[in-house]
């Protein structure tokens, strides 16, 4: 799956925004598998019902893990601000030459007094 993410980012570049999700059990932050921009997606017919989708919804991460996020009734949380060391190394590696983009996010504020 990692090669696919790299190819997608290569094709669409910075028009694709990376999203991140944290699993509360592990504290690891994963990179949500990117999608082409909405304007470039096919408007195909939805498959199944909304209830079916809600029961089976799992969001793929670049590392191959599929998480049920809070928006899908799960416990994983979307987030934007986190320390770099919490990033999943497999997700970063899966971005290939675009891996630097995984580190382009706001960092939490730190206490400059050392306290």
């Amino acid at each position: 799956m990692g090669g696919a993410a790299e190819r997608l980012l290569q094709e669409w570049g910075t028009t694709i925004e990376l999203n991140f999700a944290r699993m509360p059990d592990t504290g690891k932050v994963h990179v949500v598998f990117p999608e082409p921009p909405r304007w470039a997606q096919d408007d195909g017919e939805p498959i199944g019902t909304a209830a079916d989708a809600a029961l089976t919804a799992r969001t793929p991460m670049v590392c191959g893990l599929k998480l049920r996020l809070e928006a899908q009734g799960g416990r994983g949380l979307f987030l934007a601000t986190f320390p770099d060391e919490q990033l999943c190394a497999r997700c970063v590696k899966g971005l290939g030459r675009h891996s630097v983009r995984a580190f382009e996010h706001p960092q939490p504020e730190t206490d400059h007094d050392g306290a």
Side-chain angles (χ1 to χ4, degrees):
M1 208 182 248
E6 182 179 11
R7 285 189 300 276
L8 192 61
L9 289 169
Q10 186 65 33
E11 181 178 349
W12 293 100
T14 57
T15 60
I16 295 179
E17 183 178 330
L18 292 182
N19 294 300
F20 303 92
R22 174 181 288 136
M23 280 306 297
D25 299 347
T26 65
K28 281 289 179 201
V29 175
H30 296 272
V31 180
V32 177
F33 195 88
E35 294 183 4
R38 292 254 182 237
W39 54 265
Q41 294 181 16
D42 185 19
D43 292 328
E45 293 282 324
I47 299 172
T49 66
D52 291 339
L55 289 174
T56 60
R58 299 246 191 266
T59 301
M61 303 296 129
V62 172
C63 65
L65 185 66
K66 290 187 179 183
L67 303 177
R68 185 179 297 257
L69 299 173
E70 189 174 61
Q72 302 160 328
R75 297 184 313 136
L77 305 169
F78 280 111
L79 73 156
T81 304
F82 56 90
D84 287 341
E85 57 270 8
Q86 291 180 351
L87 272 167
C88 168
R90 289 179 51 211
C91 282
V92 173
K93 185 177 179 181
L95 295 173
R97 61 187 138 193
H98 300 277
S99 62
V100 68
R101 292 196 52 203
F103 299 94
E104 295 173 350
H105 61 87
Q107 296 289 314
E109 291 186 31
T110 57
D111 184 358
H112 297 290
D113 296 337

